[in-house]
């Protein structure tokens, strides 16, 4: 009985599917943007194997449907294909460690001696089996529906109906039931996590601090990320101790999601609190759009606060509890609404102030915050009285302005570090500095995109499924493996995994932006003067040592 079952399983396998699946499996072991663990590599390779096998099976079905003659010697071909596939898989598993080390070396990580081919292979087979089982269930569903419909409809019509009904059923279960349950669980988890009050983060006693007894905002309603942003910034004394110059206490205003029941009300609270604490009396004012969960990268603001000797006010409004990738998936417009409401209120107040005494106005956002900060204003609405600039780091692939600037870049400049026209308004930078042609000067507005060539959040694209992206073409970015190659379907799967693991990269790579790069970014955007190269290097080291 067992032998009969194994023979039936072997007979049901597709030779073309095995061959293409193995090629996909082998390609999945090659590097993309980030190093992988044994588990992530095994799961990825299993999905790649299943994708290749599925395409091969579809090809066989298409040949049968078109009534093309079947090739002879299928049994022998299947055996040869199985042996060949096993050999190819073993060779590529043996090379996997070398490919992973080609990334790890560029990122300053310890090299690995082995990619653990046996563990990766077993995990891939388990993943493949689960995906195939799900596909077989889908096939049985089609057959069941088609059989029922064939009682009163032609065979081909019943087949089409079976496919449509099965797709609708599986999609509704996946995106309706399972997705809603998962989303509800995630939202509940992040909401409760955000509400936790950390014992080490005490309510401020300074009346000029957001969340104090004199504040318009309740400390407990700021959320976990908001309380951290308000409480953990450098003090004026700490800045003075480093710069040996007179320093002010930086102003930080944050409005949590529970502080009011609409984006407009939260934005108005933020403006009123900013006015109350004297934010418009500072030299620099930054409208910050946080990530999906409300987090603001400490290095982004601390670098500017040190460079400006504390003469900085920053304001932010939370728009979600979810992590950025979930917010990007389920509520991207909601974040844009909040960013627009905050910028509109701050800008409308700012333009009514005398030009010679109002602060210089800047925008900032990281990741999803960068995309929503982009959307916070239309450049044509502010051209008559523009804000001074923006520093947007790690913009997601869906960022509209970023996509247009990258697409229309100057000929000869790479997609991972473009040059846009004469660089008077928009410039791009990475860990090696700002890309700009010599001789070109900044205009009245300065926009800088800080991005790493190894950041999958920025360079992921759905079209990578079927076409080679520009950023892979030479010259490569400084932290992108020279062994990276584009493969249809497989590279898309690899980059999808990279995007999910983007924040696990070492600092200064992937989606983890280094304090020193923020320093260089703000020097460009805010036109910081009076710092020598030695002092800038010392500031980078100082910020790099901070928790």
């Amino acid at each position: 009985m067992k032998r009969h079952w194994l023979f039936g399983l072997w007979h049901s396998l597709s030779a073309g599917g095995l061959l293409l699946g193995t090629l996909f499996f082998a390609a999945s072991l090659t590097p993309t943007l980030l190093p992988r663990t044994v588990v992530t590599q095994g799961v990825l390779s299993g999905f790649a194997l299943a994708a290749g096998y599925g395409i091969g099976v579809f090809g066989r079905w298409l040949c049968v449907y078109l009534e093309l003659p079947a090739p002879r010697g299928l049994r022998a071909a299947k055996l040869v294909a199985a042996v060949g596939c096993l050999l190819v898989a073993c060779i590529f598993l043996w090379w996997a460690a070398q490919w992973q080390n080609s990334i790890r070396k560029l990122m300053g990580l310890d090299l690995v001696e082995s990619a653990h081919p046996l563990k990766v292979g077993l995990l891939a087979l388990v993943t493949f089996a689960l995906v195939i089982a799900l596909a077989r269930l889908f096939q049985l569903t089609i057959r069941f529906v088609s059989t029922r419909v064939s009682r009163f409809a032609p065979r081909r019509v019943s087949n089409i109906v079976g496919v449509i009904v099965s797709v609708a059923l599986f999609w509704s279960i996946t995106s309706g039931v399972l997705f809603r349950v998962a989303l509800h669980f995630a939202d509940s988890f992040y909401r409760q996590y955000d509400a936790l009050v950390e014992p080490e983060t005490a309510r401020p006693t300074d009346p000029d601090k957001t969340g104090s007894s004199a504040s318009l905002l309740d400390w407990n309603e700021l959320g976990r990320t908001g309380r951290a942003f308000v409480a953990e910034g450098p003090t004026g004394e700490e800045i003075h101790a480093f710069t040996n110059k007179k320093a002010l206490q930086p102003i930080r205003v944050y409005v949590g999601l529970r502080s009011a029941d609409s984006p407009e009300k939260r934005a108005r609270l933020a403006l009123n609190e900013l006015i109350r604490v004297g934010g418009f009396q500072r030299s620099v004012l930054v409208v910050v759009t946080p990530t999906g969960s409300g987090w603001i990268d400490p290095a982004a603001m601390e670098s500017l606060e040190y460079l400006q000797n504390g003469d900085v006010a920053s304001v932010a409004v939370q728009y979600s509890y979810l992590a950025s990738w979930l917010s990007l998936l389920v509520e991207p417009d909601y974040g844009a609404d909040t960013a627009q409401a905050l910028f509109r209120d701050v800008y409308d107040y700012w333009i009514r102030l005398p030009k010679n005494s109002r602060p210089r106005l800047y925008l900032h956002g990281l990741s999803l915050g960068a995309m929503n900060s982009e959307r916070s204003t239309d450049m044509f609405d502010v051209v008559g009285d523009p804000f001074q600039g923006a520093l947007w780091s790690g913009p997601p692939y869906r960022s509209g302005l970023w996509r247009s600037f990258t697409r229309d870049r100057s000929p000869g400049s790479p997609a991972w570090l473009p040059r846009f026209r004469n660089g008077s308004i928009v410039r791009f930078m990475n860990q090696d500095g700002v890309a700009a042609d010599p001789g070109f000067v900044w205009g009245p507005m300065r926009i800088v995109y800080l991005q790493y060539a190894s950041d999958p959040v920025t360079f992921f694209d759905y079209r990578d499924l079927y076409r080679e992206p520009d950023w892979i073409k030479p010259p490569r970015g400084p932290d992108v493996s020279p062994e990276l190659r584009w493969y249809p379907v497989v590279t898309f799967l690899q980059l999808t995994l990279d995007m999910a693991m983007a924040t696990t990269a070492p600092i200064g790579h992937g989606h983890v932006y280094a304090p020193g790069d923020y320093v260089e970014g703000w020097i460009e955007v805010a036109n910081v003067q009076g710092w020598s190269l030695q002092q800038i290097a010392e500031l980078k080291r100082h910020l790099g040592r901070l928790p």
Side-chain angles (χ1 to χ4, degrees), residues 13 32 74 145 415 445 455 473 479 485:
L13 292 176
T32 43
L74 283 180
V145 175
M445 179 185 291
D455 188 348
K473 300 172 184 177
D479 52 356
R485 300 292 183 272

Side-chain angles (χ1 to χ4, degrees), residues 108-448:
L109 298 172
D110 294 334
L111 303 185
V112 295
E113 296 181 359
S114 170
H116 303 283
L118 182 59
K119 293 180 180 179
V120 169
L122 290 174
L123 281 170
L125 288 176
V126 171
T127 303
F128 171 76
L130 292 174
V131 175
I132 294 301
L134 185 62
R136 291 288 174 90
L137 178 61
F138 179 72
Q139 184 181 30
L140 290 173
T141 305
I142 294 176
R143 188 174 302 170
F144 175 82
V145 175
S146 299
T147 301
R148 297 299 183 275
V149 176
S150 64
R151 296 175 180 176
F152 51 85
R155 178 176 60 86
R156 293 191 176 182
V157 172
S158 64
N159 289 338
I160 293 175
V161 172
V163 171
I164 293 175
V165 171
S166 299
V167 169
L169 177 63
F170 273 68
W171 178 257
S172 63
I173 292 174
T174 303
S175 63
V177 179
L178 296 181
F179 184 76
R180 288 179 183 275
V181 170
L183 184 61
H184 176 75
F185 173 79
D187 182 71
S188 177
F189 170 79
Y190 284 113
R191 183 189 299 267
Q192 293 179 27
Y193 180 76
D194 184 74
L196 293 175
V197 178
E198 311 81 355
E200 66 275 11
T201 307
R203 182 181 184 182
T205 56
D206 184 349
D208 290 334
K209 285 270 193 177
T210 295
S212 66
S213 58
S215 174
L216 303 177
L217 296 155
D218 185 272
W219 177 247
N220 292 328
E221 293 179 347
L222 297 185
R224 189 182 185 91
T225 53
R227 289 187 292 270
F229 175 68
V230 170
E232 295 176 2
T235 64
E237 291 77 11
E238 290 171 338
I239 297 174
H240 169 71
F242 178 81
T243 63
N244 290 321
K245 297 179 181 179
K246 182 180 178 181
L248 298 176
Q249 176 75 30
I251 292 174
R252 293 185 173 189
V253 172
Y254 191 99
V255 178
L257 198 54
R258 285 186 294 272
S259 298
D261 58 7
S262 72
E264 292 74 19
K265 291 180 180 179
R266 289 190 286 271
R268 185 50 55 91
L269 269 175
L271 174 63
N272 292 335
E273 177 73 358
L274 190 62
I275 295 171
R276 184 189 74 83
V277 297
F280 288 94
Q281 278 73 58
R282 293 302 172 93
S283 297
V284 172
L285 172 59
V286 185
V287 178
V288 184
T289 305
T291 64
S293 63
W295 183 71
I296 298 172
D297 191 344
M301 295 314 304
E302 289 172 1
S303 55
L304 180 63
E305 289 164 347
Y306 273 91
L307 287 169
Q308 295 291 337
N309 295 302
D311 194 10
V312 178
S314 54
V315 56
V317 174
Q318 185 182 18
Y319 54 87
S320 174
Y321 298 114
L322 300 176
S324 284
W325 67 273
L326 277 174
S327 293
L328 184 63
L329 181 64
V330 302
E331 52 180 13
D333 295 333
Y334 189 67
D337 291 344
T338 300
Q340 290 164 6
L342 177 61
F343 177 81
R344 182 175 57 248
D345 284 358
V346 172
Y347 180 78
D348 288 348
Y349 186 90
W350 178 76
I351 59 174
R352 294 197 298 268
L353 299 175
K355 287 189 176 182
N356 59 354
S357 61
R358 70 188 184 190
R360 289 175 289 149
L361 181 60
Y362 298 97
L363 306 182
H364 170 66
L366 164 66
S367 190
L368 186 62
M371 185 182 77
N372 286 325
S373 184
E374 270 191 0
R375 297 175 175 180
S376 65
T377 182
D378 188 320
M379 294 299 177
F380 291 103
D381 293 337
V382 300
V383 68
D385 196 354
F387 58 90
Q388 277 62 55
L391 176 60
W392 289 320
S393 49
Y397 62 94
R398 292 180 59 176
S399 303
L401 285 178
W402 173 86
R403 290 173 69 93
S404 65
F405 294 144
T406 302
R407 182 187 62 244
D408 299 333
R409 65 188 181 275
S410 300
S413 63
W416 47 270
L417 195 62
R419 287 180 172 86
F420 181 74
R421 298 185 181 179
N422 63 5
S424 62
I425 297 178
V426 177
R427 296 181 185 180
F428 292 77
M429 68 170 291
N430 63 3
Q431 57 267 68
D432 293 333
V434 177
D437 293 323
F440 290 127
V441 297
W442 280 108
M445 179 185 291
R446 302 183 176 203
I447 297 175
V448 170

Side-chain angles (χ1 to χ4, degrees), residues 25-32 34-38 40-42 44-45 87-105 110-121 481 483-484 494:
F25 171 85
S28 73
L29 296 166
T30 62
T32 43
L34 299 178
R36 306 182 195 115
T37 65
V38 173
T40 56
Q41 181 65 73
L44 168 66
S45 297
L87 181 62
V88 169
C90 290
I91 293 174
F92 275 69
L93 282 168
W94 180 263
W95 286 342
Q98 176 184 340
W99 284 323
Q100 288 302 302
N101 284 335
S102 71
I103 309 176
R104 301 179 70 87
K105 182 178 180 181
D110 294 334
L111 303 185
V112 295
E113 296 181 359
S114 170
H116 303 283
L118 182 59
K119 293 180 180 179
V120 169
S481 169
E483 304 292 333
L484 190 154
Q494 291 174 314

